Amino acid sequence: MPQVRGHLEGLDGIRAIAALLVLMFHVGIETGDALAPGVAGALLAGGDMAVPLFFALSGLLLFRPWVRAALDQTTAPPTGSYLWRRALRVLPAYWIVALAALLLWSRDRLDSVWAWVEVMTLTFVFDTDPWWVGTGPYGLGQMWSLSVEVCFYALLPVIGLLAVRAAGRAGGDTRTRARRMMVCLAGMTALAVLALLPQYYPEPRPYMYSWLPRCLGLFAVGM
């Protein structure tokens, strides 16, 4: 069984490439170079493909303890400590960036308690009548993907528990337990496809682009 804790050095290079692609994409959008015709513009615009890669990496790294619990029939990881570690890893740095963005570009909203709440909790993507244009307040538009990640972090203990219980019904056969977990992941992917229906029918709802359900299949790839 692969290790379920600790640093995996083999993924550092993939993370670095993905981070560089995201940086190039957003700089290219701001300068307009990613919108220009030609090969260079296409390559810069394609940098957003790093976001699905980050989702897959999160699925790969975070789901391992539940896989171990299902296949070895051991105790599932404690939810409290898992969520606490995720919060410490994400929120302090994000709060600094969010504070700077609000002070620099959204001063007209500084007296709005609701604006502070939805920005600081990464729930602004669920605002169906936003006070900004794009995927988030100016300077934070790229944070839609972090909101998706955080929603996945919060939902993962539930997904893990359901997968462990489904696998546990297979008894002592490890291969059957593994197959049952794969069925659960296939169900996640099917749910992601079904999430496209309310996003586009009966009329387009662009804000749903930044919601977790449509991205579940991308996490399932890593899981």
Side-chain angles (χ1 to χ4, degrees), residues 45-58:
D48 64 348
M49 291 302 296
V51 175
L53 179 56
F54 273 122
F55 290 164
L57 284 174
S58 292

PDB file of all heavy atoms in Angstrom, residues 45-58:
ATOM      1  N   ALA A  45      -3.293  30.958 -23.155  1.00  0.00           N
ATOM      2  CA  ALA A  45      -4.675  30.701 -22.776  1.00  0.00           C
ATOM      3  C   ALA A  45      -4.854  29.276 -22.261  1.00  0.00           C
ATOM      4  O   ALA A  45      -5.716  29.019 -21.422  1.00  0.00           O
ATOM      5  CB  ALA A  45      -5.602  30.950 -23.960  1.00  0.00           C
ATOM      6  N   GLY A  46      -4.040  28.360 -22.748  1.00  0.00           N
ATOM      7  CA  GLY A  46      -4.131  26.971 -22.300  1.00  0.00           C
ATOM      8  C   GLY A  46      -3.576  26.735 -20.915  1.00  0.00           C
ATOM      9  O   GLY A  46      -3.689  25.625 -20.376  1.00  0.00           O
ATOM     10  N   GLY A  47      -3.003  27.770 -20.308  1.00  0.00           N
ATOM     11  CA  GLY A  47      -2.456  27.611 -18.962  1.00  0.00           C
ATOM     12  C   GLY A  47      -3.496  27.288 -17.918  1.00  0.00           C
ATOM     13  O   GLY A  47      -3.170  26.754 -16.856  1.00  0.00           O
ATOM     14  N   ASP A  48      -4.783  27.595 -18.225  1.00  0.00           N
ATOM     15  CA  ASP A  48      -5.814  27.284 -17.239  1.00  0.00           C
ATOM     16  C   ASP A  48      -6.057  25.787 -17.105  1.00  0.00           C
ATOM     17  O   ASP A  48      -6.785  25.358 -16.198  1.00  0.00           O
ATOM     18  CB  ASP A  48      -7.118  28.011 -17.578  1.00  0.00           C
ATOM     19  CG  ASP A  48      -7.721  27.556 -18.902  1.00  0.00           C
ATOM     20  OD1 ASP A  48      -7.020  26.851 -19.654  1.00  0.00           O
ATOM     21  OD2 ASP A  48      -8.882  27.919 -19.186  1.00  0.00           O
ATOM     22  N   MET A  49      -5.439  24.976 -17.964  1.00  0.00           N
ATOM     23  CA  MET A  49      -5.539  23.527 -17.807  1.00  0.00           C
ATOM     24  C   MET A  49      -4.815  23.045 -16.557  1.00  0.00           C
ATOM     25  O   MET A  49      -4.976  21.901 -16.141  1.00  0.00           O
ATOM     26  CB  MET A  49      -4.967  22.823 -19.036  1.00  0.00           C
ATOM     27  CG  MET A  49      -5.797  22.989 -20.292  1.00  0.00           C
ATOM     28  SD  MET A  49      -7.480  22.372 -20.072  1.00  0.00           S
ATOM     29  CE  MET A  49      -7.159  20.638 -19.792  1.00  0.00           C
ATOM     30  N   ALA A  50      -4.028  23.908 -15.929  1.00  0.00           N
ATOM     31  CA  ALA A  50      -3.357  23.525 -14.688  1.00  0.00           C
ATOM     32  C   ALA A  50      -4.341  23.408 -13.535  1.00  0.00           C
ATOM     33  O   ALA A  50      -4.070  22.710 -12.556  1.00  0.00           O
ATOM     34  CB  ALA A  50      -2.274  24.545 -14.346  1.00  0.00           C
ATOM     35  N   VAL A  51      -5.489  24.087 -13.630  1.00  0.00           N
ATOM     36  CA  VAL A  51      -6.468  24.019 -12.538  1.00  0.00           C
ATOM     37  C   VAL A  51      -7.007  22.594 -12.360  1.00  0.00           C
ATOM     38  O   VAL A  51      -7.019  22.075 -11.239  1.00  0.00           O
ATOM     39  CB  VAL A  51      -7.604  25.032 -12.765  1.00  0.00           C
ATOM     40  CG1 VAL A  51      -8.685  24.867 -11.700  1.00  0.00           C
ATOM     41  CG2 VAL A  51      -7.051  26.451 -12.734  1.00  0.00           C
ATOM     42  N   PRO A  52      -7.464  21.915 -13.420  1.00  0.00           N
ATOM     43  CA  PRO A  52      -7.859  20.510 -13.244  1.00  0.00           C
ATOM     44  C   PRO A  52      -6.728  19.642 -12.695  1.00  0.00           C
ATOM     45  O   PRO A  52      -6.986  18.690 -11.948  1.00  0.00           O
ATOM     46  CB  PRO A  52      -8.260  20.065 -14.660  1.00  0.00           C
ATOM     47  CG  PRO A  52      -8.652  21.320 -15.350  1.00  0.00           C
ATOM     48  CD  PRO A  52      -7.756  22.384 -14.791  1.00  0.00           C
ATOM     49  N   LEU A  53      -5.493  19.983 -13.050  1.00  0.00           N
ATOM     50  CA  LEU A  53      -4.353  19.220 -12.527  1.00  0.00           C
ATOM     51  C   LEU A  53      -4.251  19.388 -11.015  1.00  0.00           C
ATOM     52  O   LEU A  53      -4.022  18.406 -10.283  1.00  0.00           O
ATOM     53  CB  LEU A  53      -3.063  19.673 -13.210  1.00  0.00           C
ATOM     54  CG  LEU A  53      -1.772  18.987 -12.766  1.00  0.00           C
ATOM     55  CD1 LEU A  53      -1.872  17.487 -12.923  1.00  0.00           C
ATOM     56  CD2 LEU A  53      -0.588  19.526 -13.568  1.00  0.00           C
ATOM     57  N   PHE A  54      -4.443  20.608 -10.527  1.00  0.00           N
ATOM     58  CA  PHE A  54      -4.426  20.826  -9.080  1.00  0.00           C
ATOM     59  C   PHE A  54      -5.565  20.074  -8.398  1.00  0.00           C
ATOM     60  O   PHE A  54      -5.385  19.513  -7.309  1.00  0.00           O
ATOM     61  CB  PHE A  54      -4.539  22.323  -8.769  1.00  0.00           C
ATOM     62  CG  PHE A  54      -3.218  23.039  -8.761  1.00  0.00           C
ATOM     63  CD1 PHE A  54      -2.979  24.109  -9.601  1.00  0.00           C
ATOM     64  CD2 PHE A  54      -2.208  22.640  -7.893  1.00  0.00           C
ATOM     65  CE1 PHE A  54      -1.771  24.773  -9.588  1.00  0.00           C
ATOM     66  CE2 PHE A  54      -0.984  23.299  -7.872  1.00  0.00           C
ATOM     67  CZ  PHE A  54      -0.761  24.370  -8.722  1.00  0.00           C
ATOM     68  N   PHE A  55      -6.741  20.048  -9.020  1.00  0.00           N
ATOM     69  CA  PHE A  55      -7.863  19.307  -8.437  1.00  0.00           C
ATOM     70  C   PHE A  55      -7.523  17.815  -8.338  1.00  0.00           C
ATOM     71  O   PHE A  55      -7.800  17.169  -7.323  1.00  0.00           O
ATOM     72  CB  PHE A  55      -9.115  19.498  -9.283  1.00  0.00           C
ATOM     73  CG  PHE A  55      -9.701  20.889  -9.225  1.00  0.00           C
ATOM     74  CD1 PHE A  55     -10.624  21.319 -10.172  1.00  0.00           C
ATOM     75  CD2 PHE A  55      -9.340  21.761  -8.218  1.00  0.00           C
ATOM     76  CE1 PHE A  55     -11.174  22.582 -10.115  1.00  0.00           C
ATOM     77  CE2 PHE A  55      -9.888  23.051  -8.150  1.00  0.00           C
ATOM     78  CZ  PHE A  55     -10.807  23.449  -9.105  1.00  0.00           C
ATOM     79  N   ALA A  56      -6.933  17.277  -9.394  1.00  0.00           N
ATOM     80  CA  ALA A  56      -6.572  15.857  -9.383  1.00  0.00           C
ATOM     81  C   ALA A  56      -5.526  15.568  -8.311  1.00  0.00           C
ATOM     82  O   ALA A  56      -5.594  14.535  -7.619  1.00  0.00           O
ATOM     83  CB  ALA A  56      -6.062  15.437 -10.756  1.00  0.00           C
ATOM     84  N   LEU A  57      -4.567  16.463  -8.147  1.00  0.00           N
ATOM     85  CA  LEU A  57      -3.550  16.272  -7.106  1.00  0.00           C
ATOM     86  C   LEU A  57      -4.186  16.275  -5.717  1.00  0.00           C
ATOM     87  O   LEU A  57      -3.800  15.486  -4.841  1.00  0.00           O
ATOM     88  CB  LEU A  57      -2.489  17.373  -7.203  1.00  0.00           C
ATOM     89  CG  LEU A  57      -1.465  17.235  -8.324  1.00  0.00           C
ATOM     90  CD1 LEU A  57      -0.570  18.471  -8.381  1.00  0.00           C
ATOM     91  CD2 LEU A  57      -0.618  15.987  -8.137  1.00  0.00           C
ATOM     92  N   SER A  58      -5.148  17.167  -5.492  1.00  0.00           N
ATOM     93  CA  SER A  58      -5.824  17.196  -4.196  1.00  0.00           C
ATOM     94  C   SER A  58      -6.548  15.878  -3.940  1.00  0.00           C
ATOM     95  O   SER A  58      -6.487  15.329  -2.832  1.00  0.00           O
ATOM     96  CB  SER A  58      -6.822  18.363  -4.141  1.00  0.00           C
ATOM     97  OG  SER A  58      -6.148  19.598  -4.150  1.00  0.00           O
TER      98      SER A  58
END
